[in-house]
Amino acid sequence: TAPVQVQLVVPVAVVFSPGSVPGDLPRPLPFRDVQEMEISVNLRTSVTSRYEMVFRGTTAQEEAALAAATAREADAALHLLQDSSMGSLTMYVVPDTSFLLPQGISVYVGKHRSALVRAGGSLAALHARLQQVTQAMSFTATSIAAALSDRVPNGHLSPDARRNLKSSLGYEITFSLLNPDPKSHAVDWDIEDAVNRYVKPVVDKLSLVANFSVDSQILYYAVLGVTPRYDKESSSFLLSAHSLPHVINPVEARLGSSAASLYPVLNFLLYVPERSHSPLYIQDKDGAPVSTNAFHSPRWGGIMVYNVEAPASPQASLPLHVDVDMARVMGVFLAQLRLLFGLSREELPPEFLLESPGNEGLADWELDHLLWAHTVENIATVSTTLTSLAQLLDKIGNIVIKDDVASEVYRAVASVQSAVAKLAVGHLHSAFQASKEAVTSSERAFFDPSLLHLLYFPDDQKFAIYIPLFLPMAVPILLSLAKIVRETRQRKKEPTKMD
Amino acid sequence: VCTSRFWFNYRHVANTLSVYRSVKRLGIPDSHIVLMLADDMACNPRNPKPATVFSHKNMELNVYGDDVEVDYRSYEVTVENFLRVLTGRIPPSTPRSKRLLSDDRSNILIYMTGHGGNGFLKFQDSEEITNVELADAFEQMWQKRRYNELLFIIDTCQGASMYERFYSPNIMALASSQVGEDSLSHQPDLGIGVHLMDRYTFYVLEFLEEIHPASQTNMNDLFQVCPKSLCVSTPGHRTDLFQRDPQNVLITDFFGSVRKVEITTETISLNRDLAGFESK
């Protein structure tokens, strides 16, 4: 694989509020410190993380903001005072006795790019806590290894690591309503409103990462491929965890996708079970019903089961009109979307309190988390693509590179160099944009239709074709040429002889 | 991929369609299958039973129903198009169904049938693909991580020569006959007047009929299919490039599609009434 050496620089500001400065600080505030760590993926790929930390005291305005009643208000006020460019982080250290953080919580992570950290006694304890928070809010060794998963030697990676969506220029999101029993349920979902109200804010926030297109469809008489089991105790139908993988394929055949776009498709299905199979619950591995009644498949999408209550009286007229509670449904689908991108909040330790991002779907630091991973992945992809293109050219010496392919290659090289340079300075946004351009150019160059090696003939084939053609013709020509040469030589000799 | 043209090569189209059927039955949707048939047997003027392609004697099983989606048909099945599909170097105007949109987690099954020789496979009676070109195409796929694991099955004469030159990792190959041997056809049907299937594919299909999506049968069983007594030729296989032990590779890893799923335990609580949002 092509060698990749990238340095990721994260500017971090650690701000001490009055009363929180630990006694054993090595130098008086303000001072700078750098923490470097190497994440080595394989022999030729290494990523160095470099946290450039500035330790300082609070300004008067920040002190006023920290005097707020709750952490959330403090975070909102502090956000206005920060210089929160992408990729940077600000940590506010509050005294142990502060009321901003509830009992048992040592870190509060806001929804922008800052966190409130309890001082915690010694400098060493504070350092450990700071390292944990900064890594969680930017990138960890695991997240980088997952982004570079195709370079990690087999066996070193856990089987779940290759499950995040690969970095792509765009994604297509399709919401599908599956109604297998239209005679019993007339299901009405106001998808357009739901998309504008709930999906659009999230997609707008993610628009930095990629282009998203959203569509929806309703499928009638589409059944799950698996028959659920009836459980007498709960008088409901159950789908066990090990039957879930077989649910997706029979449905996928009917889902369809846009013929024109080549972007990966994320399918979110809402299944309303038939009257005869209601209510339907999904069981997890331990046999307990799942609270969301939903499951997802990495790099594919998610399915949620929406149960309709039985009609009050058995004589109720069918079909029952069902108005889908889109807020609840979208809450699950958008959570699944986050999980598909690899943004999980469950991996953080319990003493961390995370501010909910609300309708935006993800916090600013989670966006940064995605951008770090995608930028590294893009750079590695470009490096592999260009190297293998060079190897192809070495192998087939007489391949013709068209001018536009050549210019794409130059552009890709320039962009990837710019991306690496920007990462080394801590400009995450422009580094990501440069890496996206590099990927576009390198893919265009590599997949250019003119590079099919079939079109270029090896030399021995050329000999094999032309020699049988020209040799028989060449023989009389050469012989007569030889004859002409001999005659002219003789004629030249003749005059001297006759002299 | 069926590479042969002309009515008397009916069996190659029947081979391909039967494998296509099995693969669909085991769960792979059409959007994930690229089917290339070099000639149209069902609507061929010499077909006494039009719109059908049978794979069993006495016309038991029609493999050409109404949900067969052929992606490359007739003269579109060329070596160039085949290599373009594999390597992805396809003109931008090609629709999604004609592309191989695989990534580094895709397991790919490639089944090819037709007439072949020592180191080549004949396409359309006018061109050939050599084992070197095929090996290079797989290497290009590996470089771009277009597959996780690849299973290559070939049913032609001297089929084993086609996988001799592979050098990319994670490829397993099966062939119906060794170099120097011919693969033979299975049974003629007097009603249609041609041989309906090839022996190797016939026995592979009998084996696949017993597989269902949750089955745990592994690759070693597939290697045993069609011994010399039944097949007359000696089927071969190659697993040295494959990282896992064939014992641990399930048939459904390639022929069917079993996805990894996770239970969703997180939700987002959304604010229903968004101040400042105008609903029309």
Side-chain angles (χ1 to χ4, degrees), chain A residues 154 249 252 261 443 446, chain B residues 89 96 144 243 257 259:
Chain A
N154 253 358
N249 283 320
E252 174 146 27
S261 111
E443 300 277 302
F446 186 87
Chain B
R89 299 205 166 98
R96 213 180 164 113
K144 245 348 218 142
Q243 281 182 6
S257 172
R259 294 178 192 263

Side-chain angles (χ1 to χ4, degrees), chain A residues 182-427:
Chain A
K183 285 203 278 280
S184 310
H185 302 129
V187 186
D188 202 359
W189 75 343
D190 195 356
I191 185 73
E192 209 179 314
D193 178 66
V195 166
N196 283 334
R197 197 189 278 261
Y198 304 119
V199 181
K200 202 164 173 309
V202 180
V203 164
D204 283 343
K205 185 128 192 200
L206 284 172
S207 62
L208 261 172
V209 179
N211 292 331
F212 284 86
S213 72
V214 180
D215 15 28
S216 71
Q217 60 179 343
I218 303 183
L219 292 174
Y220 293 105
Y221 294 109
V223 289
L224 297 179
V226 182
T227 321
R229 235 176 7 98
Y230 183 68
D231 181 49
K232 278 204 266 287
E233 282 169 18
S234 55
S235 57
S236 60
F237 288 86
L238 298 173
L239 268 180
S240 60
H242 65 257
S243 63
L244 293 177
H246 304 291
V247 168
I248 297 182
N249 283 320
V251 181
E252 174 146 27
R254 296 196 54 186
L255 285 179
S257 57
S258 153
S261 111
L262 296 173
Y263 292 147
V265 179
L266 302 175
N267 289 297
F268 293 102
L269 273 54
L270 185 64
Y271 182 74
V272 179
E274 304 107 310
R275 184 82 260 129
S276 53
H277 281 154
S278 291
L280 180 60
Y281 295 109
I282 298 179
Q283 261 183 335
D284 64 17
K285 277 187 296 262
D286 309 316
V290 175
S291 58
T292 57
N293 222 12
F295 65 100
H296 59 276
S297 178
R299 297 198 186 177
W300 183 79
I303 299 185
M304 177 176 175
V305 177
Y306 189 86
N307 285 315
V308 174
E309 275 173 27
S313 67
Q315 278 84 28
S317 67
L318 296 174
L320 294 167
H321 184 78
V322 180
D323 249 324
V324 178
D325 177 5
M326 291 311 291
R328 180 162 73 93
V329 168
M330 281 301 170
V332 173
F333 281 161
L334 291 173
Q336 287 178 334
L337 180 67
R338 283 170 46 104
L339 291 169
L340 288 171
F341 272 106
L343 299 170
S344 167
R345 292 189 155 204
E346 285 184 349
E347 291 153 8
L348 293 170
E351 64 261 17
F352 279 40
L353 175 63
L354 296 159
E355 177 65 52
S356 155
N359 281 33
E360 275 195 330
L362 59 156
D364 287 347
W365 58 270
E366 291 180 307
L367 183 64
D368 285 357
H369 196 101
L370 259 186
L371 288 180
W372 287 113
H374 280 201
T375 312
V376 171
E377 189 184 331
N378 285 349
I379 292 177
T381 309
V382 172
S383 153
T384 313
T385 309
L386 292 177
T387 312
S388 93
L389 187 57
Q391 281 173 354
L392 175 66
L393 299 182
D394 275 338
K395 222 158 165 249
I396 306 172
N398 51 354
I399 209 167
V400 171
I401 298 291
K402 295 194 300 190
D403 284 337
D404 49 339
V405 175
S407 62
E408 292 290 349
V409 174
Y410 284 131
R411 202 177 305 156
V413 171
S415 300
V416 83
Q417 282 171 339
S418 149
V420 172
K422 295 215 166 80
L423 277 181
V425 190
H427 295 160

Side-chain angles (χ1 to χ4, degrees), chain A residues 1 150 154 160 162-163 166 196-198 244-246 248-249 252-253 257-259 261-263 265 282 290 292 294-300 325 327 330-332 334-336 338-339 344-346 358-359 361 381 384-385 388 391-392 395 443 446-449 451-454, chain B residues 26-32 79-81 83-84 87-92 94-97 99 101 103-105 128 132-134 136-137 139-140 143-146 148 167 170 213-214 243 256-274 277 279:
Chain A
T1 48
D150 57 347
N154 253 358
D160 295 325
R162 274 197 263 172
R163 60 183 181 174
K166 281 178 79 69
N196 283 334
R197 197 189 278 261
Y198 304 119
L244 293 177
H246 304 291
I248 297 182
N249 283 320
E252 174 146 27
S257 57
S258 153
S261 111
L262 296 173
Y263 292 147
V265 179
I282 298 179
V290 175
T292 57
F295 65 100
H296 59 276
S297 178
R299 297 198 186 177
W300 183 79
D325 177 5
M330 281 301 170
V332 173
L334 291 173
Q336 287 178 334
R338 283 170 46 104
L339 291 169
S344 167
R345 292 189 155 204
E346 285 184 349
N359 281 33
T381 309
T384 313
T385 309
S388 93
Q391 281 173 354
L392 175 66
K395 222 158 165 249
E443 300 277 302
F446 186 87
F447 284 117
D448 190 82
L451 289 178
L452 200 64
H453 62 273
L454 197 51
Chain B
L26 290 172
I28 302 189
D30 272 313
S31 55
H32 289 224
V79 176
E80 184 182 330
N81 279 347
L83 289 178
R84 284 195 191 282
T87 54
R89 299 205 166 98
I90 250 178
T94 318
R96 213 180 164 113
S97 57
R99 288 179 188 251
L101 295 168
D103 60 17
D104 62 322
R105 276 184 81 224
E128 308 160 348
V132 177
E133 281 170 351
L134 196 55
D136 284 342
E139 176 64 14
Q140 293 283 295
Q143 289 283 328
K144 245 348 218 142
R145 296 296 184 275
R146 277 165 74 76
N148 173 34
Y167 54 93
N170 283 349
Q243 281 182 6
S257 172
V258 182
R259 294 178 192 263
K260 270 206 160 71
V261 298
E262 288 167 19
I263 304 282
T264 311
T265 47
E266 298 183 16
T267 52
I268 300 184
S269 50
L270 294 169
N271 189 352
R272 278 159 216 271
D273 315 301
L274 223 43
F277 170 71
S279 55

